[in-house]
Amino acid sequence: MKKEEQARSLLGVSLSGRPKWQQFLLCTSGFFFGYLVNGVCEEYVYNRLHFSYGWYFTFVQGFVYLALIYLQGFSTKHMVNPWKTYVKLSAVLMGSHGLTKGSLAFLNYPAQLMFKSTKVLPVMIMGAFIPGLRRKYPLHEYVSAVLLVVGLILFTLADANTSPNFSILGVIMVSGALVMDSFLGNLQEAIFLMNPETSQMEMLFCSTVVGLPFLIPPMLLTGELFRAWNSCSQHLYVYGVLVFEAMATFVGQVSVLSLIAIFGAATTAMITTARKAVTLLLSYIIFTKPLTEQHGTGLLLIAMGIALKLLPENQQPLKPSKTGKSSIEITEISRKADEEEGRPLI
Protein backbone atom coordinates (compact mmCIF):
# COMPACT_ATOMS: atom_id res chain seq x y z
CA MET A 1 0.00 0.00 0.00
CA LYS A 2 1.38 3.38 -1.02
CA LYS A 3 2.35 5.58 1.87
CA GLU A 4 0.71 9.00 1.96
CA GLU A 5 2.93 12.00 1.38
CA GLN A 6 3.86 13.81 4.58
CA ALA A 7 1.94 17.07 4.96
CA ARG A 8 4.33 20.00 4.69
CA SER A 9 4.05 23.78 4.66
CA LEU A 10 6.41 26.66 4.05
CA LEU A 11 5.97 29.55 6.51
CA GLY A 12 2.20 29.02 6.61
CA VAL A 13 1.81 28.22 2.90
CA SER A 14 0.67 24.62 2.39
CA LEU A 15 2.83 22.51 0.05
CA SER A 16 0.83 19.29 0.36
CA GLY A 17 -1.50 18.43 -2.49
CA ARG A 18 0.23 20.83 -4.88
CA PRO A 19 1.92 19.62 -8.09
CA LYS A 20 5.66 19.08 -7.78
CA TRP A 21 6.44 22.07 -9.98
CA GLN A 22 4.48 24.36 -7.65
CA GLN A 23 6.25 22.94 -4.59
CA PHE A 24 9.56 23.46 -6.35
CA LEU A 25 8.70 27.03 -7.37
CA LEU A 26 7.55 28.02 -3.86
CA CYS A 27 10.59 26.51 -2.15
CA THR A 28 13.13 27.91 -4.59
CA SER A 29 11.50 31.36 -4.46
CA GLY A 30 11.80 31.45 -0.67
CA PHE A 31 15.35 30.16 -0.86
CA PHE A 32 16.48 32.66 -3.48
CA PHE A 33 14.93 35.58 -1.62
CA GLY A 34 16.49 34.62 1.72
CA TYR A 35 19.98 33.88 0.49
CA LEU A 36 20.22 36.70 -2.05
CA VAL A 37 19.56 39.13 0.80
CA ASN A 38 22.04 37.14 2.90
CA GLY A 39 24.73 37.41 0.22
CA VAL A 40 24.34 41.17 -0.16
CA CYS A 41 24.39 41.69 3.63
CA GLU A 42 27.46 39.49 4.06
CA GLU A 43 29.44 41.34 1.43
CA TYR A 44 28.37 44.65 2.94
CA VAL A 45 29.36 43.69 6.50
CA TYR A 46 32.62 41.90 5.65
CA ASN A 47 33.96 43.84 2.68
CA ARG A 48 32.50 47.30 3.21
CA LEU A 49 32.35 47.56 6.99
CA HIS A 50 35.29 45.18 7.60
CA PHE A 51 33.62 43.25 10.44
CA SER A 52 35.09 39.75 10.16
CA TYR A 53 33.67 37.74 13.05
CA GLY A 54 32.19 34.60 11.52
CA TRP A 55 31.72 32.55 14.69
CA TYR A 56 30.16 35.47 16.60
CA PHE A 57 27.84 36.42 13.76
CA THR A 58 26.67 32.80 13.50
CA PHE A 59 26.05 32.85 17.27
CA VAL A 60 23.89 35.99 16.99
CA GLN A 61 22.08 34.52 14.00
CA GLY A 62 21.19 31.42 16.04
CA PHE A 63 19.31 33.46 18.65
CA VAL A 64 17.40 35.32 15.92
CA TYR A 65 16.42 31.91 14.49
CA LEU A 66 15.12 30.77 17.90
CA ALA A 67 13.03 33.93 18.28
CA LEU A 68 11.51 33.50 14.82
CA ILE A 69 10.79 29.80 15.43
CA TYR A 70 9.04 30.73 18.68
CA LEU A 71 6.90 33.26 16.78
CA GLN A 72 5.96 30.46 14.37
CA GLY A 73 4.39 28.65 17.33
CA PHE A 74 6.83 25.75 17.57
CA SER A 75 7.68 24.23 20.96
CA THR A 76 9.46 21.11 22.20
CA LYS A 77 6.14 19.29 22.62
CA HIS A 78 5.95 19.17 18.82
CA MET A 79 9.21 17.19 18.56
CA VAL A 80 9.04 13.69 17.05
CA ASN A 81 12.77 12.83 17.25
CA PRO A 82 15.02 12.48 20.33
CA TRP A 83 17.56 15.22 20.99
CA LYS A 84 20.47 12.87 20.30
CA THR A 85 19.38 12.67 16.65
CA TYR A 86 20.56 16.26 16.19
CA VAL A 87 23.96 16.18 17.92
CA LYS A 88 25.99 15.14 14.88
CA LEU A 89 23.91 17.33 12.57
CA SER A 90 24.26 20.38 14.82
CA ALA A 91 28.05 20.07 15.09
CA VAL A 92 28.33 19.88 11.30
CA LEU A 93 25.84 22.72 10.76
CA MET A 94 27.47 25.21 13.13
CA GLY A 95 30.95 24.27 11.97
CA SER A 96 29.93 24.89 8.36
CA HIS A 97 28.32 28.25 9.13
CA GLY A 98 31.16 29.47 11.33
CA LEU A 99 33.93 28.42 8.94
CA THR A 100 32.09 29.82 5.93
CA LYS A 101 31.53 33.22 7.50
CA GLY A 102 34.95 33.27 9.14
CA SER A 103 36.74 32.53 5.86
CA LEU A 104 35.58 35.91 4.53
CA ALA A 105 38.17 37.51 6.80
CA PHE A 106 40.89 35.84 4.69
CA LEU A 107 39.22 35.44 1.27
CA ASN A 108 37.20 37.89 -0.77
CA TYR A 109 33.56 37.00 -1.35
CA PRO A 110 34.00 35.73 -4.95
CA ALA A 111 36.98 33.57 -3.99
CA GLN A 112 34.95 32.00 -1.19
CA LEU A 113 32.08 31.33 -3.60
CA MET A 114 34.53 29.68 -6.00
CA PHE A 115 35.33 27.05 -3.37
CA LYS A 116 31.77 26.69 -2.11
CA SER A 117 30.47 26.26 -5.65
CA THR A 118 31.97 22.76 -5.74
CA LYS A 119 29.60 21.67 -2.95
CA VAL A 120 27.20 19.83 -5.24
CA LEU A 121 29.78 17.22 -6.26
CA PRO A 122 30.82 16.07 -2.74
CA VAL A 123 27.15 16.09 -1.70
CA MET A 124 26.30 13.73 -4.56
CA ILE A 125 29.29 11.50 -3.80
CA MET A 126 28.59 11.44 -0.06
CA GLY A 127 24.95 10.56 -0.77
CA ALA A 128 26.17 7.28 -2.24
CA PHE A 129 27.75 6.28 1.08
CA ILE A 130 25.38 7.60 3.77
CA PRO A 131 23.60 4.52 5.24
CA GLY A 132 19.97 4.42 4.20
CA LEU A 133 20.41 6.81 1.26
CA ARG A 134 22.82 5.04 -1.08
CA ARG A 135 21.86 7.44 -3.84
CA LYS A 136 22.59 6.56 -7.48
CA TYR A 137 22.45 9.43 -9.97
CA PRO A 138 22.15 9.20 -13.77
CA LEU A 139 25.16 10.30 -15.84
CA HIS A 140 23.54 13.50 -17.06
CA GLU A 141 23.18 14.75 -13.46
CA TYR A 142 26.92 14.40 -12.88
CA VAL A 143 27.62 16.19 -16.17
CA SER A 144 25.17 18.90 -15.14
CA ALA A 145 26.91 19.31 -11.79
CA VAL A 146 30.34 19.57 -13.44
CA LEU A 147 29.11 22.22 -15.92
CA LEU A 148 27.58 24.20 -13.08
CA VAL A 149 30.73 24.03 -10.97
CA VAL A 150 33.14 24.88 -13.81
CA GLY A 151 30.93 27.77 -14.93
CA LEU A 152 30.76 29.25 -11.47
CA ILE A 153 34.50 28.82 -10.92
CA LEU A 154 35.21 30.67 -14.19
CA PHE A 155 32.84 33.43 -13.12
CA THR A 156 34.36 33.84 -9.67
CA LEU A 157 37.95 33.60 -10.92
CA ALA A 158 37.27 36.56 -13.20
CA ASP A 159 36.22 38.58 -10.17
CA ALA A 160 39.00 37.27 -7.95
CA ASN A 161 41.54 38.56 -10.49
CA THR A 162 40.16 42.07 -10.12
CA SER A 163 39.94 42.05 -6.30
CA PRO A 164 42.52 39.60 -4.92
CA ASN A 165 42.40 38.70 -1.25
CA PHE A 166 43.81 35.22 -0.94
CA SER A 167 45.13 33.55 2.21
CA ILE A 168 45.99 29.91 2.86
CA LEU A 169 44.14 30.11 6.18
CA GLY A 170 41.00 31.17 4.36
CA VAL A 171 41.41 28.25 1.95
CA ILE A 172 41.72 25.81 4.87
CA MET A 173 38.64 27.26 6.57
CA VAL A 174 36.42 27.18 3.47
CA SER A 175 37.68 23.67 2.62
CA GLY A 176 36.65 22.53 6.10
CA ALA A 177 33.23 24.08 5.54
CA LEU A 178 32.98 22.24 2.23
CA VAL A 179 33.66 18.88 3.89
CA MET A 180 30.98 19.59 6.48
CA ASP A 181 28.54 20.66 3.76
CA SER A 182 28.98 17.30 2.04
CA PHE A 183 27.60 15.63 5.19
CA LEU A 184 25.04 18.29 6.13
CA GLY A 185 22.44 17.97 3.38
CA ASN A 186 22.62 14.18 3.34
CA LEU A 187 22.24 13.95 7.14
CA GLN A 188 19.21 16.25 6.98
CA GLU A 189 17.68 14.16 4.20
CA ALA A 190 18.38 10.99 6.21
CA ILE A 191 16.51 12.38 9.23
CA PHE A 192 13.51 13.28 7.06
CA LEU A 193 13.50 9.77 5.59
CA MET A 194 13.99 8.09 8.96
CA ASN A 195 10.98 9.91 10.39
CA PRO A 196 8.72 11.61 7.79
CA GLU A 197 6.84 13.31 10.64
CA THR A 198 9.87 15.58 11.18
CA SER A 199 8.98 19.20 10.42
CA GLN A 200 11.29 21.87 9.06
CA MET A 201 10.80 23.90 12.24
CA GLU A 202 11.85 20.98 14.44
CA MET A 203 14.95 20.42 12.30
CA LEU A 204 15.96 24.08 12.50
CA PHE A 205 15.07 24.52 16.18
CA CYS A 206 16.85 21.43 17.47
CA SER A 207 19.95 21.83 15.33
CA THR A 208 20.22 25.47 16.46
CA VAL A 209 19.70 24.78 20.18
CA VAL A 210 22.12 21.86 20.19
CA GLY A 211 24.56 23.63 17.90
CA LEU A 212 24.96 27.00 19.66
CA PRO A 213 27.23 25.61 22.44
CA PHE A 214 29.57 24.25 19.74
CA LEU A 215 30.34 27.85 18.76
CA ILE A 216 31.58 28.93 22.20
CA PRO A 217 34.96 27.07 22.26
CA PRO A 218 36.25 28.49 18.95
CA MET A 219 35.10 32.00 19.95
CA LEU A 220 36.97 31.74 23.26
CA LEU A 221 40.09 30.07 21.85
CA THR A 222 40.50 32.68 19.10
CA GLY A 223 39.49 35.60 21.34
CA GLU A 224 36.83 36.50 18.78
CA LEU A 225 34.03 36.70 21.35
CA PHE A 226 35.55 39.69 23.17
CA ARG A 227 36.83 41.44 20.03
CA ALA A 228 33.48 41.10 18.30
CA TRP A 229 31.54 42.21 21.39
CA ASN A 230 33.68 45.34 21.82
CA SER A 231 33.66 46.19 18.13
CA CYS A 232 29.94 45.71 17.63
CA SER A 233 29.16 47.58 20.86
CA GLN A 234 30.84 50.63 19.34
CA HIS A 235 28.87 50.22 16.10
CA LEU A 236 25.41 49.07 17.16
CA TYR A 237 24.00 49.43 13.65
CA VAL A 238 25.90 46.24 12.75
CA TYR A 239 23.42 44.30 14.91
CA GLY A 240 20.60 45.76 12.85
CA VAL A 241 22.22 44.44 9.66
CA LEU A 242 22.82 41.05 11.30
CA VAL A 243 19.22 40.73 12.50
CA PHE A 244 17.89 41.69 9.07
CA GLU A 245 20.26 39.19 7.45
CA ALA A 246 19.25 36.45 9.91
CA MET A 247 15.54 37.04 9.24
CA ALA A 248 16.08 36.70 5.50
CA THR A 249 18.33 33.68 5.97
CA PHE A 250 15.67 32.08 8.15
CA VAL A 251 13.26 32.17 5.20
CA GLY A 252 15.97 30.71 3.00
CA GLN A 253 16.88 28.01 5.51
CA VAL A 254 13.30 26.81 5.98
CA SER A 255 12.95 26.73 2.19
CA VAL A 256 16.15 24.66 1.89
CA LEU A 257 14.87 22.15 4.43
CA SER A 258 11.62 21.90 2.46
CA LEU A 259 13.61 21.24 -0.73
CA ILE A 260 15.69 18.55 0.99
CA ALA A 261 12.60 16.86 2.44
CA ILE A 262 10.76 16.81 -0.90
CA PHE A 263 13.46 16.66 -3.59
CA GLY A 264 16.60 15.37 -1.83
CA ALA A 265 20.03 16.72 -0.91
CA ALA A 266 21.68 16.57 -4.36
CA THR A 267 18.91 18.50 -6.14
CA THR A 268 18.99 21.08 -3.34
CA ALA A 269 22.78 21.40 -3.70
CA MET A 270 22.31 22.10 -7.41
CA ILE A 271 19.85 24.88 -6.61
CA THR A 272 22.07 26.40 -3.93
CA THR A 273 25.00 26.39 -6.37
CA ALA A 274 22.92 28.14 -9.05
CA ARG A 275 21.93 30.72 -6.44
CA LYS A 276 25.57 31.68 -6.02
CA ALA A 277 25.71 32.80 -9.65
CA VAL A 278 22.66 35.02 -9.14
CA THR A 279 24.19 36.42 -5.95
CA LEU A 280 27.35 37.32 -7.85
CA LEU A 281 25.33 39.04 -10.57
CA LEU A 282 23.54 41.12 -7.93
CA SER A 283 26.92 41.91 -6.40
CA TYR A 284 28.03 43.31 -9.74
CA ILE A 285 24.86 45.33 -10.19
CA ILE A 286 24.73 46.74 -6.66
CA PHE A 287 28.45 47.33 -6.16
CA THR A 288 29.05 48.36 -9.82
CA LYS A 289 31.77 45.96 -10.98
CA PRO A 290 32.83 45.39 -14.63
CA LEU A 291 31.73 42.24 -16.51
CA THR A 292 34.20 40.48 -18.85
CA GLU A 293 34.07 37.73 -21.50
CA GLN A 294 35.14 35.22 -18.85
CA HIS A 295 32.06 36.14 -16.84
CA GLY A 296 29.93 35.50 -19.92
CA THR A 297 31.53 32.08 -20.52
CA GLY A 298 30.91 31.12 -16.91
CA LEU A 299 27.27 32.17 -17.09
CA LEU A 300 26.80 30.14 -20.30
CA LEU A 301 28.16 26.98 -18.67
CA ILE A 302 25.95 27.56 -15.63
CA ALA A 303 22.89 27.89 -17.88
CA MET A 304 23.84 24.68 -19.71
CA GLY A 305 24.25 22.85 -16.40
CA ILE A 306 20.83 23.98 -15.17
CA ALA A 307 19.17 23.06 -18.49
CA LEU A 308 20.76 19.60 -18.40
CA LYS A 309 19.57 19.10 -14.83
CA LEU A 310 15.99 19.74 -15.95
CA LEU A 311 16.04 16.82 -18.41
CA PRO A 312 13.60 14.05 -17.43
CA GLU A 313 15.31 11.17 -15.63
CA ASN A 314 13.32 8.43 -17.35
CA GLN A 315 12.95 8.67 -21.10
CA GLN A 316 12.23 5.02 -21.94
CA PRO A 317 8.67 4.29 -23.20
CA LEU A 318 6.07 2.76 -20.94
CA LYS A 319 6.11 -0.99 -21.57
CA PRO A 320 3.50 -3.00 -19.67
CA SER A 321 4.84 -6.14 -18.03
CA LYS A 322 3.02 -9.39 -17.40
CA THR A 323 1.84 -7.97 -14.08
CA GLY A 324 0.20 -5.03 -15.83
CA LYS A 325 2.69 -2.50 -14.42
CA SER A 326 4.98 -0.40 -16.58
CA SER A 327 8.76 -0.82 -16.40
CA ILE A 328 9.05 2.61 -14.78
CA GLU A 329 6.53 1.66 -12.08
CA ILE A 330 8.45 -1.56 -11.36
CA THR A 331 11.72 0.37 -11.15
CA GLU A 332 10.14 2.86 -8.72
CA ILE A 333 8.74 0.05 -6.53
CA SER A 334 12.17 -1.62 -6.49
CA ARG A 335 13.88 1.66 -5.55
CA LYS A 336 11.47 2.24 -2.65
CA ALA A 337 12.02 -1.32 -1.43
CA ASP A 338 15.78 -0.75 -1.43
CA GLU A 339 15.31 2.42 0.63
CA GLU A 340 13.16 0.58 3.14
CA GLU A 341 15.84 -2.11 3.60
CA GLY A 342 18.41 0.55 4.40
CA ARG A 343 16.62 1.92 7.46
CA PRO A 344 17.36 2.87 10.21
CA LEU A 345 19.41 5.66 8.70
CA ILE A 346 21.35 7.31 11.54
Side-chain angles (χ1 to χ4, degrees), residues 2-309:
K2 187 177 178 180
K3 192 173 183 177
E4 292 186 3
E5 182 182 359
Q6 168 64 18
R8 297 201 178 277
S9 62
L10 177 62
L11 299 173
V13 178
S14 175
L15 298 175
S16 303
R18 295 178 181 269
K20 286 291 184 181
W21 70 268
Q22 288 188 14
Q23 295 178 344
F24 184 82
L25 183 61
L26 286 169
C27 293
T28 52
S29 297
F31 165 72
F32 268 78
F33 166 77
Y35 278 93
L36 287 176
V37 173
N38 169 267
V40 173
C41 289
E42 278 192 349
E43 185 163 9
Y44 177 71
V45 170
Y46 283 88
N47 294 345
R48 304 293 174 171
L49 301 181
H50 304 291
F51 285 87
S52 305
Y53 307 113
W55 300 108
Y56 183 75
F57 288 171
T58 304
F59 194 67
V60 173
Q61 185 182 62
F63 285 100
V64 177
Y65 278 9
L66 294 179
L68 292 173
I69 293 170
Y70 174 77
L71 292 176
Q72 290 288 315
F74 179 84
S75 67
T76 53
K77 66 182 180 181
H78 298 126
M79 289 177 58
V80 297
N81 293 305
W83 284 100
K84 64 180 182 181
T85 303
Y86 296 99
V87 174
K88 185 190 301 181
L89 174 65
S90 301
V92 171
L93 176 65
M94 293 302 172
S96 173
H97 285 346
L99 289 172
T100 299
K101 291 180 180 295
S103 67
L104 285 172
F106 307 96
L107 295 173
N108 61 8
Y109 191 68
Q112 185 220 58
L113 280 183
M114 180 182 67
F115 284 94
K116 293 284 284 184
S117 66
T118 63
K119 169 184 174 180
V120 61
L121 291 177
V123 167
M124 292 176 74
I125 294 170
M126 190 60 64
F129 296 98
I130 294 289
L133 293 181
R134 305 294 186 187
R135 295 297 188 196
K136 294 181 180 179
Y137 302 99
L139 178 62
H140 79 269
E141 290 207 19
Y142 284 104
V143 176
S144 172
V146 171
L147 286 173
L148 201 62
V149 168
V150 173
L152 195 48
I153 287 176
L154 282 176
F155 194 99
T156 51
L157 276 177
D159 191 45
N161 290 334
T162 62
S163 54
N165 179 21
F166 199 83
S167 166
I168 188 62
L169 182 56
V171 173
I172 293 173
M173 292 178 71
V174 77
S175 297
L178 193 62
V179 171
M180 293 185 179
D181 283 342
S182 68
F183 285 94
L184 181 59
N186 286 302
L187 288 174
Q188 289 171 328
E189 183 181 359
I191 291 174
F192 281 126
L193 286 175
M194 178 179 65
N195 192 343
E197 296 294 322
T198 307
S199 67
Q200 300 97 308
M201 288 300 166
E202 175 182 331
M203 179 81 72
L204 193 55
F205 173 79
C206 295
S207 57
T208 301
V209 169
V210 177
L212 282 175
F214 285 106
L215 296 173
I216 297 175
M219 284 195 296
L220 292 176
L221 290 173
T222 60
E224 181 176 312
L225 177 61
F226 306 105
R227 293 198 309 271
W229 175 267
N230 293 331
S231 183
C232 293
S233 296
Q234 297 172 9
H235 305 87
L236 292 176
Y237 64 91
V238 174
Y239 283 113
V241 178
L242 291 179
V243 170
F244 178 69
E245 176 193 354
M247 291 173 67
T249 309
F250 176 80
V251 175
Q253 188 64 46
V254 175
S255 301
V256 163
L257 292 174
S258 300
L259 284 168
I260 291 173
I262 298 171
F263 298 99
T267 297
T268 304
M270 290 284 290
I271 297 166
T272 59
T273 300
R275 186 272 307 176
K276 294 177 174 63
V278 180
T279 301
L280 279 174
L281 276 177
L282 277 184
S283 175
Y284 275 79
I285 294 171
I286 295 173
F287 299 108
T288 61
K289 305 173 185 177
L291 286 169
T292 66
E293 291 184 2
Q294 188 172 337
H295 291 109
T297 303
L299 286 174
L300 179 61
L301 290 175
I302 290 168
M304 291 171 61
I306 294 173
L308 189 58
K309 170 64 180 175

